[in-house]
Amino acid sequence: MPLLTCTPDTLHLGRFTLRILTAADWRLEQALSRDDDVIRWTLFPPDLSDDRARHRVERAAEARTESLLARYSLRQGDDVLGTAGISSTAYGTPELMYALLPFGRGRGAATAAARGLSDWALGSGFPEVGLRTIYGNSLSEAVARRAGFHPRRTERQRQRGALVKMLYWIRTDSCGAVRPG
Protein backbone atom coordinates (compact mmCIF):
# COMPACT_ATOMS: atom_id res chain seq x y z
CA MET A 1 0.00 0.00 0.00
CA PRO A 2 1.52 3.38 -1.02
CA LEU A 3 2.31 6.07 1.52
CA LEU A 4 -0.55 8.09 -0.07
CA THR A 5 1.19 11.39 0.46
CA CYS A 6 4.32 12.92 -1.00
CA THR A 7 7.33 12.55 1.27
CA PRO A 8 9.39 15.70 1.87
CA ASP A 9 12.74 16.14 0.12
CA THR A 10 14.28 17.45 3.34
CA LEU A 11 13.38 17.23 7.01
CA HIS A 12 15.14 19.47 9.52
CA LEU A 13 15.44 17.77 12.89
CA GLY A 14 17.19 20.21 15.20
CA ARG A 15 20.91 19.78 14.63
CA PHE A 16 20.29 16.96 12.11
CA THR A 17 18.88 16.97 8.60
CA LEU A 18 17.36 14.25 6.48
CA ARG A 19 17.95 14.83 2.76
CA ILE A 20 16.45 12.51 0.15
CA LEU A 21 19.06 10.13 -1.30
CA THR A 22 20.42 11.08 -4.71
CA ALA A 23 22.54 9.20 -7.23
CA ALA A 24 25.60 10.81 -5.65
CA ASP A 25 24.93 8.93 -2.37
CA TRP A 26 25.94 5.52 -3.72
CA ARG A 27 29.24 5.63 -1.79
CA LEU A 28 27.26 6.02 1.45
CA GLU A 29 25.32 2.87 0.54
CA GLN A 30 28.58 1.08 -0.11
CA ALA A 31 30.17 2.26 3.14
CA LEU A 32 27.16 1.06 5.15
CA SER A 33 27.31 -2.32 3.41
CA ARG A 34 30.87 -2.76 4.65
CA ASP A 35 30.26 -1.91 8.30
CA ASP A 36 30.18 -5.01 10.54
CA ASP A 37 27.57 -3.57 12.94
CA VAL A 38 25.24 -2.50 10.12
CA ILE A 39 25.47 -5.99 8.62
CA ARG A 40 24.98 -7.71 11.98
CA TRP A 41 22.05 -5.64 13.21
CA THR A 42 20.12 -4.71 10.05
CA LEU A 43 18.81 -6.28 6.86
CA PHE A 44 21.20 -4.08 4.86
CA PRO A 45 22.94 -6.09 2.10
CA PRO A 46 26.63 -6.78 2.74
CA ASP A 47 29.61 -5.70 0.65
CA LEU A 48 27.91 -3.85 -2.20
CA SER A 49 29.95 -3.38 -5.36
CA ASP A 50 30.02 0.06 -7.01
CA ASP A 51 27.33 -1.05 -9.48
CA ARG A 52 25.10 -2.65 -6.83
CA ALA A 53 25.37 0.43 -4.59
CA ARG A 54 24.42 2.69 -7.52
CA HIS A 55 21.54 0.38 -8.43
CA ARG A 56 20.26 0.36 -4.85
CA VAL A 57 20.11 4.18 -4.78
CA GLU A 58 18.40 4.22 -8.20
CA ARG A 59 15.87 1.65 -7.02
CA ALA A 60 15.09 3.76 -3.94
CA ALA A 61 14.43 6.77 -6.19
CA GLU A 62 12.08 4.68 -8.37
CA ALA A 63 10.21 3.38 -5.31
CA ARG A 64 9.78 6.97 -4.11
CA THR A 65 8.06 7.95 -7.37
CA GLU A 66 5.54 5.18 -6.60
CA SER A 67 5.10 6.43 -2.99
CA LEU A 68 6.48 3.13 -1.67
CA LEU A 69 9.68 4.32 -0.01
CA ALA A 70 11.62 7.43 0.92
CA ARG A 71 15.26 7.01 1.90
CA TYR A 72 17.36 9.86 3.21
CA SER A 73 20.96 10.64 4.00
CA LEU A 74 21.17 11.59 7.67
CA ARG A 75 23.43 14.59 8.19
CA GLN A 76 24.84 16.81 10.88
CA GLY A 77 26.18 19.90 9.16
CA ASP A 78 28.47 18.66 6.39
CA ASP A 79 28.93 15.24 8.01
CA VAL A 80 26.96 12.37 6.47
CA LEU A 81 26.20 10.01 9.36
CA GLY A 82 24.10 7.30 7.67
CA THR A 83 20.67 6.75 6.20
CA ALA A 84 17.09 6.65 7.43
CA GLY A 85 13.85 6.02 5.65
CA ILE A 86 10.18 5.23 5.65
CA SER A 87 8.45 2.57 3.59
CA SER A 88 4.93 1.50 2.83
CA THR A 89 3.72 -1.94 3.83
CA ALA A 90 1.03 -4.31 2.59
CA TYR A 91 -1.04 -3.75 5.74
CA GLY A 92 -0.93 0.07 5.62
CA THR A 93 1.34 0.93 8.55
CA PRO A 94 4.48 2.71 7.35
CA GLU A 95 7.76 1.40 8.73
CA LEU A 96 11.00 3.16 9.51
CA MET A 97 14.58 2.05 9.04
CA TYR A 98 17.95 3.55 9.86
CA ALA A 99 21.64 2.64 9.65
CA LEU A 100 24.55 4.73 10.84
CA LEU A 101 28.25 4.74 10.08
CA PRO A 102 30.50 4.28 13.14
CA PHE A 103 31.29 8.00 13.57
CA GLY A 104 27.58 8.83 13.37
CA ARG A 105 26.61 6.69 16.34
CA GLY A 106 26.09 8.03 19.84
CA ARG A 107 25.08 11.53 18.71
CA GLY A 108 21.30 11.11 18.94
CA ALA A 109 20.97 11.07 15.14
CA ALA A 110 19.05 7.78 14.88
CA THR A 111 16.62 8.90 17.58
CA ALA A 112 16.09 12.25 15.83
CA ALA A 113 15.49 10.50 12.50
CA ALA A 114 13.05 7.96 13.97
CA ARG A 115 11.18 10.66 15.85
CA GLY A 116 11.16 13.06 12.89
CA LEU A 117 9.99 10.50 10.32
CA SER A 118 7.33 9.12 12.65
CA ASP A 119 6.15 12.66 13.48
CA TRP A 120 5.85 13.32 9.75
CA ALA A 121 3.87 10.09 9.14
CA LEU A 122 1.56 10.56 12.11
CA GLY A 123 1.06 14.20 11.20
CA SER A 124 0.17 13.10 7.65
CA GLY A 125 -2.73 11.03 8.94
CA PHE A 126 -1.30 7.58 9.57
CA PRO A 127 -2.65 6.26 12.90
CA GLU A 128 0.56 4.38 13.67
CA VAL A 129 4.14 3.85 12.51
CA GLY A 130 6.24 0.72 12.96
CA LEU A 131 9.87 -0.30 13.02
CA ARG A 132 11.73 -3.56 13.53
CA THR A 133 14.91 -4.29 15.44
CA ILE A 134 16.83 -7.53 15.47
CA TYR A 135 16.25 -9.04 18.90
CA GLY A 136 19.11 -8.22 21.24
CA ASN A 137 20.19 -5.02 19.51
CA SER A 138 20.02 -3.01 22.72
CA LEU A 139 21.30 0.19 21.11
CA SER A 140 18.59 0.21 18.43
CA GLU A 141 15.98 -0.79 21.00
CA ALA A 142 17.02 2.27 23.05
CA VAL A 143 16.62 4.45 19.93
CA ALA A 144 13.09 3.10 19.44
CA ARG A 145 12.16 3.81 23.07
CA ARG A 146 13.62 7.34 23.02
CA ALA A 147 11.71 8.07 19.78
CA GLY A 148 8.41 7.09 21.45
CA PHE A 149 7.96 3.55 20.13
CA HIS A 150 6.69 0.64 22.22
CA PRO A 151 7.34 -3.06 21.58
CA ARG A 152 4.29 -4.81 20.18
CA ARG A 153 5.40 -8.35 19.29
CA THR A 154 8.24 -10.61 18.28
CA GLU A 155 8.39 -12.19 14.86
CA ARG A 156 10.78 -14.06 12.60
CA GLN A 157 12.27 -12.60 9.46
CA ARG A 158 14.95 -13.68 7.01
CA GLN A 159 18.33 -12.00 7.25
CA ARG A 160 20.63 -13.21 4.48
CA GLY A 161 19.03 -16.65 4.40
CA ALA A 162 18.72 -17.23 8.15
CA LEU A 163 15.63 -16.70 10.27
CA VAL A 164 16.25 -14.10 12.96
CA LYS A 165 14.06 -13.02 15.84
CA MET A 166 12.79 -9.47 15.39
CA LEU A 167 11.09 -7.10 17.78
CA TYR A 168 8.28 -5.10 16.15
CA TRP A 169 7.76 -1.63 17.63
CA ILE A 170 4.83 0.73 17.17
CA ARG A 171 4.28 4.44 17.72
CA THR A 172 0.81 5.92 17.62
CA ASP A 173 -0.52 9.45 17.47
CA SER A 174 -1.25 9.21 21.19
CA CYS A 175 2.52 8.93 21.81
CA GLY A 176 2.99 12.65 21.33
CA ALA A 177 3.62 13.19 17.63
CA VAL A 178 3.74 16.81 16.55
CA ARG A 179 1.37 17.53 13.66
CA PRO A 180 2.78 19.81 10.96
CA GLY A 181 1.14 23.16 11.19
Side-chain angles (χ1 to χ4, degrees), residues 1-8 66-70 86-96 116-130 149 168 170-180:
M1 172 178 278
L3 290 170
L4 302 177
T5 186
C6 187
T7 52
E66 298 170 18
S67 294
L68 299 175
L69 171 73
I86 187 167
S87 67
S88 65
T89 63
Y91 49 91
T93 299
E95 289 187 12
L96 306 183
L117 285 169
S118 59
D119 280 352
W120 172 83
L122 294 168
S124 295
F126 290 98
E128 60 185 25
V129 181
F149 287 78
Y168 183 76
I170 203 78
R171 181 173 176 209
T172 63
D173 197 22
S174 64
C175 294
V178 176
R179 290 194 175 273

Side-chain angles (χ1 to χ4, degrees), residues 51 79 111 121 142 172 180:
D51 288 341
D79 293 333
T111 301
T172 63

Side-chain angles (χ1 to χ4, degrees), residues 113-148:
R115 187 177 298 125
L117 285 169
S118 59
D119 280 352
W120 172 83
L122 294 168
S124 295
F126 290 98
E128 60 185 25
V129 181
L131 69 81
R132 287 180 170 83
T133 59
I134 293 178
Y135 195 79
N137 183 350
S138 59
L139 296 176
S140 199
E141 291 170 1
V143 165
R145 281 189 183 90
R146 285 192 303 269

Side-chain angles (χ1 to χ4, degrees), residues 29 45-57 59:
E29 288 290 280
D47 201 26
L48 292 172
S49 66
D50 293 1
D51 288 341
R52 284 188 61 219
R54 285 185 180 101
H55 177 71
R56 188 168 155 85
V57 171
R59 218 175 61 219

Side-chain angles (χ1 to χ4, degrees), residues 92-110:
T93 299
E95 289 187 12
L96 306 183
M97 74 281 300
Y98 46 85
L100 297 179
L101 295 166
F103 63 86
R105 298 175 192 141
R107 299 181 184 204

Side-chain angles (χ1 to χ4, degrees), residues 148-162:
F149 287 78
H150 302 279
R152 164 119 353 132
R153 66 180 176 267
T154 59
E155 51 193 38
R156 300 272 180 202
Q157 190 169 346
R158 291 218 171 268
Q159 180 196 40
R160 290 176 280 290

